[in-house]
Amino acid sequence: MQTTEPHIRVGAYALGVLGRADAFRFEEHLEECGPCRARTRELAPVTARLAVAGPVVRPSPGLADRLVAAVAARRRR
């Protein structure tokens, strides 16, 4: 991870979507970073509410590629 990267991973960590290795590295970062610990605590109620908001919907295959292509096409205009 780069120096600034752990700070932007707070949301992903709180949602539990980081891979095992990234979560481990982020937890190491949390030991030393008070602002990230505070932000993680702030997000806990949000993640608890999202857990009961509805079923998890998996994106269709190729969604990321279609989104990138749409953004690239728009930038070319």
Side-chain angles (χ1 to χ4, degrees), residues 2 6 10 16 18-19 23 25 30 32 36 39 44 49 52 55-56 60-61 66 77:
Q2 298 172 356
V10 172
L18 289 180
R25 284 192 294 271
L30 281 177
E32 301 173 2
C36 283
R39 189 69 177 139
R49 286 186 178 149
V52 296
V56 174
S60 63
R66 291 192 305 275
R77 287 186 216 157

Side-chain angles (χ1 to χ4, degrees), residues 6-7 25-38:
H7 304 293
R25 284 192 294 271
F26 187 78
E27 288 166 356
E28 287 181 328
H29 170 77
L30 281 177
E31 292 176 11
E32 301 173 2
C33 185
C36 283
R37 281 194 309 273

